[in-house]
Amino acid sequence: TSGIFLVLSRILTLLKGMDPDARRHFWDLVRSLRDEGKTILLTTHNLEEADELADRIAVLAKGELLLLGTSNYLKKKYGIGYNLIITPKFEFITQFATQKNDLIAQVKDLIHHVEVDAKTSDTVLRIILPYNESSKFGQLFASLENNPSIEVIY
């Protein structure tokens, strides 16, 4: 097995300013190297990036290893749940504020221990879904996707 070791400190600094398309291409490159069996050591402050690209995640603070595990292991042990983001389709923006309480009730009918995220705004409804109720997510997503006025981001 051959390996590749890259020191990209200056290049990685540039990743912060990457547009979404360029970031996707970089992620595709990392995935293709991983799929070829290459070992990749990637440092990032972006948890979404670590979640998407890493088989295992290590969390370091002040030079000490605090946590090590798969993304799912760390989420279940230390996380609060999955983020469900609901936004209105453009033509329904004005009605969305009055529709939010109905959407929250719809989610709570299927998944009882949900939490509305403080980052919810007039045009974005953010709900935290608990890990232990993931078996109900398929039914929830199907019911939300039947609503023609919203877009659902899992």
Side-chain angles (χ1 to χ4, degrees):
T1 315
S2 63
I4 296 176
F5 180 75
L6 300 173
V7 178
L8 299 173
S9 61
R10 295 205 187 276
I11 294 171
L12 289 176
T13 303
L14 298 174
L15 294 178
K16 288 181 182 179
M18 260 193 199
D19 64 77
D21 193 45
R23 182 175 299 274
R24 184 180 55 77
H25 286 296
F26 177 75
W27 285 14
D28 289 344
L29 171 66
V30 171
R31 279 191 208 99
S32 69
L33 291 170
R34 181 188 63 199
D35 293 346
E36 291 175 14
K38 308 288 188 220
T39 298
I40 302 162
L41 177 63
L42 175 70
T43 62
T44 183
H45 290 193
N46 182 332
L47 292 179
E48 177 189 6
E49 189 168 62
D51 187 34
E52 183 67 28
L53 298 176
D55 295 323
R56 284 173 293 186
I57 298 171
V59 177
L60 302 167
K62 297 181 182 178
E64 291 189 36
L65 179 65
L66 299 179
L67 306 170
L68 176 65
T70 65
S71 177
N72 281 338
Y73 168 79
L74 295 175
K75 285 178 182 177
K76 285 179 182 171
K77 185 158 177 126
Y78 301 102
I80 57 172
Y82 293 99
N83 292 307
L84 172 67
I85 302 170
I86 302 172
T87 60
K89 290 186 178 171
F90 181 76
E91 60 271 21
F92 296 98
I93 287 177
T94 56
Q95 296 101 325
F96 189 67
T98 59
Q99 188 182 23
K100 279 197 284 191
N101 287 334
D102 293 337
L103 290 167
I104 293 168
Q106 181 180 354
V107 171
K108 285 184 175 182
D109 281 346
L110 291 169
I111 300 174
H112 305 293
H113 302 334
V114 301
E115 181 182 329
V116 177
D117 191 312
K119 295 177 187 168
T120 290
S121 68
D122 290 342
T123 58
V124 177
L125 174 58
R126 295 174 178 266
I127 299 175
I128 301 169
L129 305 174
Y131 292 112
N132 61 351
E133 296 202 47
S134 62
S135 63
K136 300 175 186 173
F137 290 178
Q139 185 180 357
L140 172 64
F141 298 153
S143 72
L144 290 172
E145 287 173 351
N146 288 328
N147 185 332
S149 67
I150 61 170
E151 306 236 15
V152 180
I153 304 167
Y154 312 112

